[in-house]
Amino acid sequence: MKALFLDRDGVLNVLRPNDYVKCPDELVLLPGVKEALDICRRHFGRIFIVTNQQGIGKGLMSETDLASIHQKLLDAIGPVDRIYFCPELERAHSFRRKPNIGMALQARRDYRDVRLKESVMVGDSKTDMLFGRRAGMTTVLVGNNSTVATDQPYLVDYRYPSLLDFAASL
Ligand SMILES: [Mg+2]
């Protein structure tokens, strides 16, 4: 079964530069995301969100805060199969933290029907593209905040302005 792996910040909601979404009020959805998810559910057997959240490791928010942020997100976009997050600090070099592929392997363990080689990773950063590439997925870059498409074009299979543009291409 092919799965869709989605980064969160900059793909589903507005990125807060040099900051984190620390409470539900700070979560602002990007335009067209709900519509995009409705299309994606028809094309992918499973949908996962994979998100680095080291704001937890820094003590800026708790896992309870993150849970209420994600409840607001799901209320807006509809259900996904699972949200995976890595709370650890970048310097901890956790295998779960993107660009390492721990969260992809966890999804494959949790959902035995997922085939990573048939799956797609959509993100807005080099970290996401590396994660998708290392996990054997097709990579899709959205947004215009990253220089990865020009600096490491071999990491990016497809590029769209937004998640909705990607969904409309399916
Ligand atoms: Mg992002």
Side-chain angles (χ1 to χ4, degrees):
M1 181 175 281
K2 60 180 179 178
L4 177 63
F5 288 77
L6 298 169
D7 173 45
R8 196 194 77 182
D9 300 322
V11 174
L12 300 175
N13 57 275
V14 177
L15 191 69
R16 293 170 59 84
N18 304 312
D19 196 3
Y20 304 93
V21 175
K22 303 178 295 301
C23 62
D25 284 350
E26 293 179 346
L27 184 84
V28 178
L29 280 205
L30 285 162
V33 163
K34 183 180 188 331
E35 189 185 349
L37 265 286
D38 289 342
I39 297 169
C40 290
R41 282 190 197 92
R42 296 201 293 270
H43 286 83
F44 292 92
R46 303 218 176 264
I47 298 180
F48 304 111
I49 297 170
V50 283
T51 181
N52 289 344
Q53 293 298 331
Q54 68 168 341
I56 294 173
K58 290 181 177 179
L60 298 172
M61 58 180 171
S62 66
E63 291 203 13
T64 308
D65 296 326
L66 188 68
S68 51
I69 292 162
H70 286 166
Q71 190 56 55
K72 178 181 176 182
L73 177 66
L74 295 176
D75 287 347
I77 67 172
V80 299
D81 288 277
R82 189 79 74 93
I83 300 177
Y84 294 99
F85 66 93
C86 177
E88 290 168 80
L89 296 174
E90 184 175 5
R91 66 168 182 268
H93 300 295
S94 167
F95 186 61
R96 287 181 57 81
R97 184 176 164 83
K98 294 179 292 182
N100 296 327
I101 63 169
M103 291 192 283
L105 297 186
Q106 186 67 48
R108 198 178 60 182
R109 275 195 296 275
D110 293 340
Y111 299 87
R112 295 290 177 152
D113 49 9
V114 167
R115 298 182 67 87
L116 294 176
K117 282 198 168 10
E118 297 170 16
S119 297
V120 176
M121 173 66 200
V122 180
D124 69 328
S125 71
K126 177 185 171 184
T127 298
D128 298 315
M129 299 301 98
L130 260 176
F131 168 86
R133 184 59 86 237
R134 288 173 173 174
M137 294 190 254
T138 298
T139 60
V140 175
L141 182 71
V142 298
N144 49 18
N145 292 320
S146 175
T147 59
V148 63
T150 46
D151 294 350
Q152 289 100 3
Y154 48 88
L155 292 178
V156 181
D157 293 319
Y158 300 97
R159 188 174 190 188
Y160 295 95
S162 72
L163 184 63
L164 183 56
D165 292 300
F166 161 70
S169 78
L170 291 169

